[in-house]
Amino acid sequence: MPALTRGQKILAAVAVLIVALYVTGVATADDGTMTDPTDNALVQQLGDWFGDPDPVDPADLSAPCLTDGVLVIEAGCVLTVAPADSDLREVELRPDGPLRLLTRAPHDDTILDRDVPAGEPIRVAVDDQGVDISLTCDKCTVTLGGSDG
C-alpha cells in the first residue's frame, strides 16, 4: 500500500476529528445526559454541510397523469424525472391511498420495489441520469414535493 501524502494525512485527521466531535455531540449534553441529537449545534452544522439532497426541480417532472403537482392515478402511472447536472436529487411523494412504487436505485441498475401506506410520505432518490418511477394503486392521488416540503 503506498504511503499517504501530507494532504491525505491532514484530510484523514480532519475526518477523524469530525467523527469524534459528531459522536461526542450526539451522545452528551451539557450535563452529560443523553439528548436529542438534532438540538446539538455541531450536529445541526454537520447536517447543513452534509444534509439531504436537493429536491428535484418541478420542471424536470413529467407524467401523463400529472396536473399542478398532483398525480391522479386510476391504475398506474409513470413519473419521469429528467436528467440533470445534480449528482443526487430527491422527489417527495405523498399518496392519499396505498401505493406501489417501482424505480431504479441511484447509480445502480437495481430495481427498488416498495409498498407505501396511505398518507406516508416517501422520498425517492434520483441520480443525474434521471429515472422513471412506476406508481400503481386502485385509485389514488399523489402530491409531489421536494425534500424541503
Side-chain angles (χ1 to χ4, degrees):
M1 184 167 150
L4 295 176
T5 66
R6 182 171 188 246
Q8 290 171 329
K9 289 177 185 177
I10 292 170
L11 184 60
V14 169
V16 168
L17 178 63
I18 288 174
V19 169
L21 289 172
Y22 179 80
V23 169
T24 302
V26 168
T28 62
D30 291 338
D31 61 359
T33 61
M34 292 297 289
T35 185
D36 181 0
T38 59
D39 292 338
N40 183 282
L42 174 64
V43 173
Q44 291 172 354
Q45 183 64 41
L46 290 173
D48 290 343
W49 288 347
F50 306 106
D52 292 334
D54 291 331
V56 170
D57 184 343
D60 290 342
L61 300 172
S62 63
C65 61
L66 177 62
T67 305
D68 297 326
V70 177
L71 300 165
V72 180
I73 304 172
E74 295 284 333
C77 187
V78 176
L79 175 64
T80 300
V81 181
D85 292 336
S86 182
D87 180 53
L88 193 63
R89 305 166 286 159
E90 64 182 20
V91 61
E92 184 175 294
L93 307 172
R94 293 181 299 254
D96 68 353
L99 178 74
R100 183 163 190 179
L101 181 146
L102 288 161
T103 191
R104 177 184 57 80
H107 305 294
D108 199 344
D109 291 329
T110 304
I111 299 299
L112 304 175
D113 183 353
R114 174 146 183 218
D115 290 321
V116 182
E120 178 181 302
I122 183 169
R123 293 177 178 175
V124 180
V126 179
D127 59 24
D128 59 341
Q129 298 175 18
V131 73
D132 286 336
I133 303 170
S134 177
L135 305 166
T136 55
C137 64
D138 289 330
K139 185 174 182 178
C140 65
T141 59
V142 178
T143 304
L144 301 177
S147 64
D148 58 358

PDB file of all heavy atoms in Angstrom, residues 33-71:
ATOM      1  N   THR A  33     -25.986  14.039  30.059  1.00  0.00           N
ATOM      2  CA  THR A  33     -27.074  13.104  29.827  1.00  0.00           C
ATOM      3  C   THR A  33     -27.353  12.963  28.344  1.00  0.00           C
ATOM      4  O   THR A  33     -26.923  13.770  27.530  1.00  0.00           O
ATOM      5  CB  THR A  33     -28.361  13.584  30.530  1.00  0.00           C
ATOM      6  OG1 THR A  33     -28.716  14.846  29.989  1.00  0.00           O
ATOM      7  CG2 THR A  33     -28.170  13.686  32.018  1.00  0.00           C
ATOM      8  N   MET A  34     -28.082  11.928  27.993  1.00  0.00           N
ATOM      9  CA  MET A  34     -28.473  11.728  26.598  1.00  0.00           C
ATOM     10  C   MET A  34     -29.421  12.846  26.187  1.00  0.00           C
ATOM     11  O   MET A  34     -30.207  13.334  26.979  1.00  0.00           O
ATOM     12  CB  MET A  34     -29.172  10.373  26.415  1.00  0.00           C
ATOM     13  CG  MET A  34     -28.250   9.186  26.608  1.00  0.00           C
ATOM     14  SD  MET A  34     -26.919   9.116  25.405  1.00  0.00           S
ATOM     15  CE  MET A  34     -27.813   8.673  23.951  1.00  0.00           C
ATOM     16  N   THR A  35     -29.345  13.245  24.934  1.00  0.00           N
ATOM     17  CA  THR A  35     -30.158  14.348  24.453  1.00  0.00           C
ATOM     18  C   THR A  35     -30.606  14.066  23.030  1.00  0.00           C
ATOM     19  O   THR A  35     -30.116  13.146  22.393  1.00  0.00           O
ATOM     20  CB  THR A  35     -29.363  15.668  24.524  1.00  0.00           C
ATOM     21  OG1 THR A  35     -30.214  16.742  24.151  1.00  0.00           O
ATOM     22  CG2 THR A  35     -28.158  15.647  23.621  1.00  0.00           C
ATOM     23  N   ASP A  36     -31.509  14.873  22.546  1.00  0.00           N
ATOM     24  CA  ASP A  36     -31.936  14.784  21.155  1.00  0.00           C
ATOM     25  C   ASP A  36     -30.807  15.329  20.289  1.00  0.00           C
ATOM     26  O   ASP A  36     -30.433  16.495  20.419  1.00  0.00           O
ATOM     27  CB  ASP A  36     -33.205  15.611  20.954  1.00  0.00           C
ATOM     28  CG  ASP A  36     -33.727  15.547  19.529  1.00  0.00           C
ATOM     29  OD1 ASP A  36     -33.118  14.859  18.685  1.00  0.00           O
ATOM     30  OD2 ASP A  36     -34.757  16.190  19.258  1.00  0.00           O
ATOM     31  N   PRO A  37     -30.236  14.501  19.387  1.00  0.00           N
ATOM     32  CA  PRO A  37     -29.089  14.964  18.617  1.00  0.00           C
ATOM     33  C   PRO A  37     -29.399  16.156  17.719  1.00  0.00           C
ATOM     34  O   PRO A  37     -28.511  16.938  17.408  1.00  0.00           O
ATOM     35  CB  PRO A  37     -28.688  13.747  17.785  1.00  0.00           C
ATOM     36  CG  PRO A  37     -29.788  12.781  17.895  1.00  0.00           C
ATOM     37  CD  PRO A  37     -30.587  13.134  19.095  1.00  0.00           C
ATOM     38  N   THR A  38     -30.637  16.345  17.328  1.00  0.00           N
ATOM     39  CA  THR A  38     -30.954  17.472  16.455  1.00  0.00           C
ATOM     40  C   THR A  38     -30.900  18.803  17.194  1.00  0.00           C
ATOM     41  O   THR A  38     -30.900  19.848  16.562  1.00  0.00           O
ATOM     42  CB  THR A  38     -32.347  17.300  15.811  1.00  0.00           C
ATOM     43  OG1 THR A  38     -33.330  17.201  16.842  1.00  0.00           O
ATOM     44  CG2 THR A  38     -32.379  16.049  14.938  1.00  0.00           C
ATOM     45  N   ASP A  39     -30.838  18.783  18.529  1.00  0.00           N
ATOM     46  CA  ASP A  39     -30.729  20.004  19.316  1.00  0.00           C
ATOM     47  C   ASP A  39     -29.284  20.475  19.466  1.00  0.00           C
ATOM     48  O   ASP A  39     -29.039  21.576  19.937  1.00  0.00           O
ATOM     49  CB  ASP A  39     -31.334  19.805  20.716  1.00  0.00           C
ATOM     50  CG  ASP A  39     -32.838  19.638  20.665  1.00  0.00           C
ATOM     51  OD1 ASP A  39     -33.455  20.073  19.674  1.00  0.00           O
ATOM     52  OD2 ASP A  39     -33.394  19.054  21.610  1.00  0.00           O
ATOM     53  N   ASN A  40     -28.331  19.639  19.090  1.00  0.00           N
ATOM     54  CA  ASN A  40     -26.925  19.969  19.255  1.00  0.00           C
ATOM     55  C   ASN A  40     -26.450  20.845  18.094  1.00  0.00           C
ATOM     56  O   ASN A  40     -26.687  20.535  16.929  1.00  0.00           O
ATOM     57  CB  ASN A  40     -26.109  18.676  19.321  1.00  0.00           C
ATOM     58  CG  ASN A  40     -24.652  18.929  19.564  1.00  0.00           C
ATOM     59  OD1 ASN A  40     -23.927  19.298  18.647  1.00  0.00           O
ATOM     60  ND2 ASN A  40     -24.220  18.740  20.801  1.00  0.00           N
ATOM     61  N   ALA A  41     -25.761  21.953  18.404  1.00  0.00           N
ATOM     62  CA  ALA A  41     -25.304  22.895  17.373  1.00  0.00           C
ATOM     63  C   ALA A  41     -24.339  22.251  16.388  1.00  0.00           C
ATOM     64  O   ALA A  41     -24.395  22.501  15.189  1.00  0.00           O
ATOM     65  CB  ALA A  41     -24.656  24.107  18.031  1.00  0.00           C
ATOM     66  N   LEU A  42     -23.430  21.393  16.880  1.00  0.00           N
ATOM     67  CA  LEU A  42     -22.486  20.718  15.991  1.00  0.00           C
ATOM     68  C   LEU A  42     -23.224  19.794  15.023  1.00  0.00           C
ATOM     69  O   LEU A  42     -22.936  19.771  13.824  1.00  0.00           O
ATOM     70  CB  LEU A  42     -21.450  19.934  16.803  1.00  0.00           C
ATOM     71  CG  LEU A  42     -20.494  19.081  15.976  1.00  0.00           C
ATOM     72  CD1 LEU A  42     -19.627  19.973  15.079  1.00  0.00           C
ATOM     73  CD2 LEU A  42     -19.618  18.225  16.870  1.00  0.00           C
ATOM     74  N   VAL A  43     -24.171  19.044  15.540  1.00  0.00           N
ATOM     75  CA  VAL A  43     -24.939  18.139  14.693  1.00  0.00           C
ATOM     76  C   VAL A  43     -25.727  18.935  13.654  1.00  0.00           C
ATOM     77  O   VAL A  43     -25.798  18.555  12.482  1.00  0.00           O
ATOM     78  CB  VAL A  43     -25.875  17.254  15.547  1.00  0.00           C
ATOM     79  CG1 VAL A  43     -26.812  16.435  14.673  1.00  0.00           C
ATOM     80  CG2 VAL A  43     -25.063  16.349  16.446  1.00  0.00           C
ATOM     81  N   GLN A  44     -26.296  20.057  14.050  1.00  0.00           N
ATOM     82  CA  GLN A  44     -27.030  20.898  13.098  1.00  0.00           C
ATOM     83  C   GLN A  44     -26.103  21.425  12.007  1.00  0.00           C
ATOM     84  O   GLN A  44     -26.464  21.449  10.838  1.00  0.00           O
ATOM     85  CB  GLN A  44     -27.723  22.047  13.829  1.00  0.00           C
ATOM     86  CG  GLN A  44     -28.871  21.590  14.698  1.00  0.00           C
ATOM     87  CD  GLN A  44     -29.436  22.705  15.569  1.00  0.00           C
ATOM     88  OE1 GLN A  44     -28.904  23.801  15.617  1.00  0.00           O
ATOM     89  NE2 GLN A  44     -30.535  22.398  16.258  1.00  0.00           N
ATOM     90  N   GLN A  45     -24.888  21.839  12.380  1.00  0.00           N
ATOM     91  CA  GLN A  45     -23.931  22.347  11.391  1.00  0.00           C
ATOM     92  C   GLN A  45     -23.508  21.241  10.424  1.00  0.00           C
ATOM     93  O   GLN A  45     -23.447  21.452   9.218  1.00  0.00           O
ATOM     94  CB  GLN A  45     -22.706  22.934  12.090  1.00  0.00           C
ATOM     95  CG  GLN A  45     -21.704  23.546  11.132  1.00  0.00           C
ATOM     96  CD  GLN A  45     -22.267  24.751  10.388  1.00  0.00           C
ATOM     97  OE1 GLN A  45     -22.957  25.583  10.959  1.00  0.00           O
ATOM     98  NE2 GLN A  45     -22.004  24.825   9.107  1.00  0.00           N
ATOM     99  N   LEU A  46     -23.217  20.049  10.961  1.00  0.00           N
ATOM    100  CA  LEU A  46     -22.858  18.928  10.085  1.00  0.00           C
ATOM    101  C   LEU A  46     -24.012  18.567   9.161  1.00  0.00           C
ATOM    102  O   LEU A  46     -23.811  18.229   7.995  1.00  0.00           O
ATOM    103  CB  LEU A  46     -22.431  17.715  10.917  1.00  0.00           C
ATOM    104  CG  LEU A  46     -21.091  17.847  11.647  1.00  0.00           C
ATOM    105  CD1 LEU A  46     -20.878  16.653  12.564  1.00  0.00           C
ATOM    106  CD2 LEU A  46     -19.947  17.988  10.676  1.00  0.00           C
ATOM    107  N   GLY A  47     -25.232  18.651   9.674  1.00  0.00           N
ATOM    108  CA  GLY A  47     -26.402  18.403   8.839  1.00  0.00           C
ATOM    109  C   GLY A  47     -26.524  19.410   7.714  1.00  0.00           C
ATOM    110  O   GLY A  47     -26.906  19.074   6.597  1.00  0.00           O
ATOM    111  N   ASP A  48     -26.184  20.673   8.004  1.00  0.00           N
ATOM    112  CA  ASP A  48     -26.203  21.694   6.959  1.00  0.00           C
ATOM    113  C   ASP A  48     -25.164  21.396   5.888  1.00  0.00           C
ATOM    114  O   ASP A  48     -25.390  21.602   4.707  1.00  0.00           O
ATOM    115  CB  ASP A  48     -25.947  23.082   7.560  1.00  0.00           C
ATOM    116  CG  ASP A  48     -27.111  23.576   8.402  1.00  0.00           C
ATOM    117  OD1 ASP A  48     -28.228  23.030   8.272  1.00  0.00           O
ATOM    118  OD2 ASP A  48     -26.891  24.517   9.197  1.00  0.00           O
ATOM    119  N   TRP A  49     -23.985  20.909   6.307  1.00  0.00           N
ATOM    120  CA  TRP A  49     -22.916  20.621   5.350  1.00  0.00           C
ATOM    121  C   TRP A  49     -23.196  19.373   4.530  1.00  0.00           C
ATOM    122  O   TRP A  49     -22.925  19.326   3.340  1.00  0.00           O
ATOM    123  CB  TRP A  49     -21.598  20.422   6.067  1.00  0.00           C
ATOM    124  CG  TRP A  49     -20.985  21.661   6.640  1.00  0.00           C
ATOM    125  CD1 TRP A  49     -21.335  22.956   6.389  1.00  0.00           C
ATOM    126  CD2 TRP A  49     -19.924  21.716   7.583  1.00  0.00           C
ATOM    127  NE1 TRP A  49     -20.557  23.817   7.106  1.00  0.00           N
ATOM    128  CE2 TRP A  49     -19.672  23.084   7.853  1.00  0.00           C
ATOM    129  CE3 TRP A  49     -19.158  20.763   8.223  1.00  0.00           C
ATOM    130  CZ2 TRP A  49     -18.682  23.501   8.738  1.00  0.00           C
ATOM    131  CZ3 TRP A  49     -18.176  21.181   9.099  1.00  0.00           C
ATOM    132  CH2 TRP A  49     -17.936  22.529   9.351  1.00  0.00           C
ATOM    133  N   PHE A  50     -23.702  18.326   5.183  1.00  0.00           N
ATOM    134  CA  PHE A  50     -23.846  17.022   4.535  1.00  0.00           C
ATOM    135  C   PHE A  50     -25.289  16.539   4.561  1.00  0.00           C
ATOM    136  O   PHE A  50     -25.548  15.351   4.625  1.00  0.00           O
ATOM    137  CB  PHE A  50     -22.963  15.980   5.237  1.00  0.00           C
ATOM    138  CG  PHE A  50     -21.526  16.389   5.348  1.00  0.00           C
ATOM    139  CD1 PHE A  50     -20.998  16.802   6.554  1.00  0.00           C
ATOM    140  CD2 PHE A  50     -20.711  16.385   4.239  1.00  0.00           C
ATOM    141  CE1 PHE A  50     -19.669  17.179   6.664  1.00  0.00           C
ATOM    142  CE2 PHE A  50     -19.379  16.757   4.335  1.00  0.00           C
ATOM    143  CZ  PHE A  50     -18.860  17.158   5.555  1.00  0.00           C
ATOM    144  N   GLY A  51     -26.247  17.438   4.506  1.00  0.00           N
ATOM    145  CA  GLY A  51     -27.657  17.100   4.672  1.00  0.00           C
ATOM    146  C   GLY A  51     -28.298  16.456   3.462  1.00  0.00           C
ATOM    147  O   GLY A  51     -27.633  15.888   2.602  1.00  0.00           O
ATOM    148  N   ASP A  52     -29.604  16.584   3.408  1.00  0.00           N
ATOM    149  CA  ASP A  52     -30.404  15.963   2.359  1.00  0.00           C
ATOM    150  C   ASP A  52     -30.015  16.473   0.971  1.00  0.00           C
ATOM    151  O   ASP A  52     -29.585  17.610   0.820  1.00  0.00           O
ATOM    152  CB  ASP A  52     -31.889  16.285   2.577  1.00  0.00           C
ATOM    153  CG  ASP A  52     -32.455  15.619   3.809  1.00  0.00           C
ATOM    154  OD1 ASP A  52     -31.921  14.565   4.210  1.00  0.00           O
ATOM    155  OD2 ASP A  52     -33.437  16.148   4.360  1.00  0.00           O
ATOM    156  N   PRO A  53     -30.241  15.623  -0.033  1.00  0.00           N
ATOM    157  CA  PRO A  53     -30.035  16.084  -1.399  1.00  0.00           C
ATOM    158  C   PRO A  53     -31.041  17.178  -1.749  1.00  0.00           C
ATOM    159  O   PRO A  53     -32.078  17.329  -1.095  1.00  0.00           O
ATOM    160  CB  PRO A  53     -30.305  14.840  -2.248  1.00  0.00           C
ATOM    161  CG  PRO A  53     -30.312  13.689  -1.316  1.00  0.00           C
ATOM    162  CD  PRO A  53     -30.612  14.225   0.042  1.00  0.00           C
ATOM    163  N   ASP A  54     -30.742  17.932  -2.795  1.00  0.00           N
ATOM    164  CA  ASP A  54     -31.666  18.958  -3.263  1.00  0.00           C
ATOM    165  C   ASP A  54     -32.933  18.315  -3.802  1.00  0.00           C
ATOM    166  O   ASP A  54     -32.893  17.193  -4.319  1.00  0.00           O
ATOM    167  CB  ASP A  54     -31.023  19.783  -4.380  1.00  0.00           C
ATOM    168  CG  ASP A  54     -29.887  20.651  -3.871  1.00  0.00           C
ATOM    169  OD1 ASP A  54     -29.929  21.050  -2.686  1.00  0.00           O
ATOM    170  OD2 ASP A  54     -28.968  20.928  -4.661  1.00  0.00           O
ATOM    171  N   PRO A  55     -34.057  19.020  -3.716  1.00  0.00           N
ATOM    172  CA  PRO A  55     -35.281  18.483  -4.314  1.00  0.00           C
ATOM    173  C   PRO A  55     -35.198  18.547  -5.837  1.00  0.00           C
ATOM    174  O   PRO A  55     -34.496  19.377  -6.406  1.00  0.00           O
ATOM    175  CB  PRO A  55     -36.379  19.411  -3.797  1.00  0.00           C
ATOM    176  CG  PRO A  55     -35.669  20.662  -3.418  1.00  0.00           C
ATOM    177  CD  PRO A  55     -34.275  20.281  -3.027  1.00  0.00           C
ATOM    178  N   VAL A  56     -35.903  17.640  -6.484  1.00  0.00           N
ATOM    179  CA  VAL A  56     -35.996  17.650  -7.945  1.00  0.00           C
ATOM    180  C   VAL A  56     -36.749  18.908  -8.364  1.00  0.00           C
ATOM    181  O   VAL A  56     -37.769  19.268  -7.764  1.00  0.00           O
ATOM    182  CB  VAL A  56     -36.726  16.386  -8.452  1.00  0.00           C
ATOM    183  CG1 VAL A  56     -37.040  16.493  -9.928  1.00  0.00           C
ATOM    184  CG2 VAL A  56     -35.908  15.139  -8.170  1.00  0.00           C
ATOM    185  N   ASP A  57     -36.252  19.584  -9.371  1.00  0.00           N
ATOM    186  CA  ASP A  57     -36.913  20.759  -9.928  1.00  0.00           C
ATOM    187  C   ASP A  57     -38.246  20.312 -10.540  1.00  0.00           C
ATOM    188  O   ASP A  57     -38.276  19.361 -11.331  1.00  0.00           O
ATOM    189  CB  ASP A  57     -36.018  21.387 -11.000  1.00  0.00           C
ATOM    190  CG  ASP A  57     -36.575  22.674 -11.564  1.00  0.00           C
ATOM    191  OD1 ASP A  57     -37.775  22.961 -11.396  1.00  0.00           O
ATOM    192  OD2 ASP A  57     -35.783  23.406 -12.190  1.00  0.00           O
ATOM    193  N   PRO A  58     -39.363  20.946 -10.181  1.00  0.00           N
ATOM    194  CA  PRO A  58     -40.660  20.552 -10.748  1.00  0.00           C
ATOM    195  C   PRO A  58     -40.672  20.545 -12.289  1.00  0.00           C
ATOM    196  O   PRO A  58     -41.398  19.764 -12.898  1.00  0.00           O
ATOM    197  CB  PRO A  58     -41.633  21.598 -10.202  1.00  0.00           C
ATOM    198  CG  PRO A  58     -40.997  22.074  -8.938  1.00  0.00           C
ATOM    199  CD  PRO A  58     -39.512  22.013  -9.182  1.00  0.00           C
ATOM    200  N   ALA A  59     -39.835  21.367 -12.912  1.00  0.00           N
ATOM    201  CA  ALA A  59     -39.762  21.391 -14.381  1.00  0.00           C
ATOM    202  C   ALA A  59     -39.163  20.096 -14.932  1.00  0.00           C
ATOM    203  O   ALA A  59     -39.341  19.793 -16.116  1.00  0.00           O
ATOM    204  CB  ALA A  59     -38.939  22.581 -14.845  1.00  0.00           C
ATOM    205  N   ASP A  60     -38.461  19.317 -14.087  1.00  0.00           N
ATOM    206  CA  ASP A  60     -37.864  18.048 -14.515  1.00  0.00           C
ATOM    207  C   ASP A  60     -38.812  16.865 -14.370  1.00  0.00           C
ATOM    208  O   ASP A  60     -38.432  15.729 -14.635  1.00  0.00           O
ATOM    209  CB  ASP A  60     -36.591  17.765 -13.708  1.00  0.00           C
ATOM    210  CG  ASP A  60     -35.455  18.705 -14.043  1.00  0.00           C
ATOM    211  OD1 ASP A  60     -35.505  19.343 -15.120  1.00  0.00           O
ATOM    212  OD2 ASP A  60     -34.506  18.802 -13.237  1.00  0.00           O
ATOM    213  N   LEU A  61     -40.055  17.113 -13.917  1.00  0.00           N
ATOM    214  CA  LEU A  61     -41.029  16.046 -13.704  1.00  0.00           C
ATOM    215  C   LEU A  61     -42.070  16.047 -14.814  1.00  0.00           C
ATOM    216  O   LEU A  61     -42.598  17.098 -15.179  1.00  0.00           O
ATOM    217  CB  LEU A  61     -41.728  16.227 -12.355  1.00  0.00           C
ATOM    218  CG  LEU A  61     -40.822  16.205 -11.125  1.00  0.00           C
ATOM    219  CD1 LEU A  61     -41.620  16.590  -9.881  1.00  0.00           C
ATOM    220  CD2 LEU A  61     -40.177  14.848 -10.954  1.00  0.00           C
ATOM    221  N   SER A  62     -42.389  14.854 -15.320  1.00  0.00           N
ATOM    222  CA  SER A  62     -43.459  14.743 -16.310  1.00  0.00           C
ATOM    223  C   SER A  62     -44.151  13.391 -16.157  1.00  0.00           C
ATOM    224  O   SER A  62     -43.534  12.404 -15.764  1.00  0.00           O
ATOM    225  CB  SER A  62     -42.911  14.898 -17.734  1.00  0.00           C
ATOM    226  OG  SER A  62     -42.014  13.846 -18.027  1.00  0.00           O
ATOM    227  N   ALA A  63     -45.442  13.384 -16.433  1.00  0.00           N
ATOM    228  CA  ALA A  63     -46.242  12.156 -16.392  1.00  0.00           C
ATOM    229  C   ALA A  63     -47.577  12.449 -17.064  1.00  0.00           C
ATOM    230  O   ALA A  63     -48.080  13.582 -16.976  1.00  0.00           O
ATOM    231  CB  ALA A  63     -46.466  11.699 -14.956  1.00  0.00           C
ATOM    232  N   PRO A  64     -48.170  11.459 -17.711  1.00  0.00           N
ATOM    233  CA  PRO A  64     -49.473  11.693 -18.335  1.00  0.00           C
ATOM    234  C   PRO A  64     -50.577  11.981 -17.324  1.00  0.00           C
ATOM    235  O   PRO A  64     -51.579  12.610 -17.657  1.00  0.00           O
ATOM    236  CB  PRO A  64     -49.750  10.397 -19.103  1.00  0.00           C
ATOM    237  CG  PRO A  64     -48.813   9.384 -18.548  1.00  0.00           C
ATOM    238  CD  PRO A  64     -47.664  10.114 -17.950  1.00  0.00           C
ATOM    239  N   CYS A  65     -50.374  11.583 -16.059  1.00  0.00           N
ATOM    240  CA  CYS A  65     -51.388  11.781 -15.025  1.00  0.00           C
ATOM    241  C   CYS A  65     -51.081  12.968 -14.122  1.00  0.00           C
ATOM    242  O   CYS A  65     -51.723  13.145 -13.089  1.00  0.00           O
ATOM    243  CB  CYS A  65     -51.524  10.504 -14.189  1.00  0.00           C
ATOM    244  SG  CYS A  65     -50.003  10.034 -13.344  1.00  0.00           S
ATOM    245  N   LEU A  66     -50.092  13.799 -14.503  1.00  0.00           N
ATOM    246  CA  LEU A  66     -49.648  14.921 -13.666  1.00  0.00           C
ATOM    247  C   LEU A  66     -50.359  16.210 -14.042  1.00  0.00           C
ATOM    248  O   LEU A  66     -50.360  16.625 -15.189  1.00  0.00           O
ATOM    249  CB  LEU A  66     -48.135  15.117 -13.826  1.00  0.00           C
ATOM    250  CG  LEU A  66     -47.500  16.300 -13.087  1.00  0.00           C
ATOM    251  CD1 LEU A  66     -47.680  16.161 -11.576  1.00  0.00           C
ATOM    252  CD2 LEU A  66     -46.015  16.384 -13.436  1.00  0.00           C
ATOM    253  N   THR A  67     -50.978  16.855 -13.018  1.00  0.00           N
ATOM    254  CA  THR A  67     -51.614  18.153 -13.194  1.00  0.00           C
ATOM    255  C   THR A  67     -51.361  18.978 -11.940  1.00  0.00           C
ATOM    256  O   THR A  67     -51.725  18.560 -10.839  1.00  0.00           O
ATOM    257  CB  THR A  67     -53.139  18.006 -13.401  1.00  0.00           C
ATOM    258  OG1 THR A  67     -53.378  17.130 -14.499  1.00  0.00           O
ATOM    259  CG2 THR A  67     -53.780  19.346 -13.669  1.00  0.00           C
ATOM    260  N   ASP A  68     -50.721  20.122 -12.100  1.00  0.00           N
ATOM    261  CA  ASP A  68     -50.486  21.063 -10.997  1.00  0.00           C
ATOM    262  C   ASP A  68     -49.852  20.413  -9.762  1.00  0.00           C
ATOM    263  O   ASP A  68     -50.298  20.631  -8.633  1.00  0.00           O
ATOM    264  CB  ASP A  68     -51.791  21.766 -10.610  1.00  0.00           C
ATOM    265  CG  ASP A  68     -52.352  22.609 -11.734  1.00  0.00           C
ATOM    266  OD1 ASP A  68     -51.544  23.179 -12.496  1.00  0.00           O
ATOM    267  OD2 ASP A  68     -53.596  22.696 -11.855  1.00  0.00           O
ATOM    268  N   GLY A  69     -48.821  19.601  -9.960  1.00  0.00           N
ATOM    269  CA  GLY A  69     -48.107  18.999  -8.842  1.00  0.00           C
ATOM    270  C   GLY A  69     -48.802  17.831  -8.180  1.00  0.00           C
ATOM    271  O   GLY A  69     -48.401  17.397  -7.108  1.00  0.00           O
ATOM    272  N   VAL A  70     -49.853  17.298  -8.816  1.00  0.00           N
ATOM    273  CA  VAL A  70     -50.582  16.157  -8.270  1.00  0.00           C
ATOM    274  C   VAL A  70     -50.724  15.092  -9.351  1.00  0.00           C
ATOM    275  O   VAL A  70     -51.104  15.387 -10.485  1.00  0.00           O
ATOM    276  CB  VAL A  70     -51.983  16.578  -7.759  1.00  0.00           C
ATOM    277  CG1 VAL A  70     -52.750  15.368  -7.255  1.00  0.00           C
ATOM    278  CG2 VAL A  70     -51.862  17.624  -6.661  1.00  0.00           C
ATOM    279  N   LEU A  71     -50.422  13.854  -8.981  1.00  0.00           N
ATOM    280  CA  LEU A  71     -50.627  12.718  -9.868  1.00  0.00           C
ATOM    281  C   LEU A  71     -51.983  12.117  -9.538  1.00  0.00           C
ATOM    282  O   LEU A  71     -52.252  11.763  -8.392  1.00  0.00           O
ATOM    283  CB  LEU A  71     -49.541  11.666  -9.666  1.00  0.00           C
ATOM    284  CG  LEU A  71     -48.102  12.103  -9.928  1.00  0.00           C
ATOM    285  CD1 LEU A  71     -47.121  11.088  -9.350  1.00  0.00           C
ATOM    286  CD2 LEU A  71     -47.871  12.270 -11.411  1.00  0.00           C
TER     287      LEU A  71
END
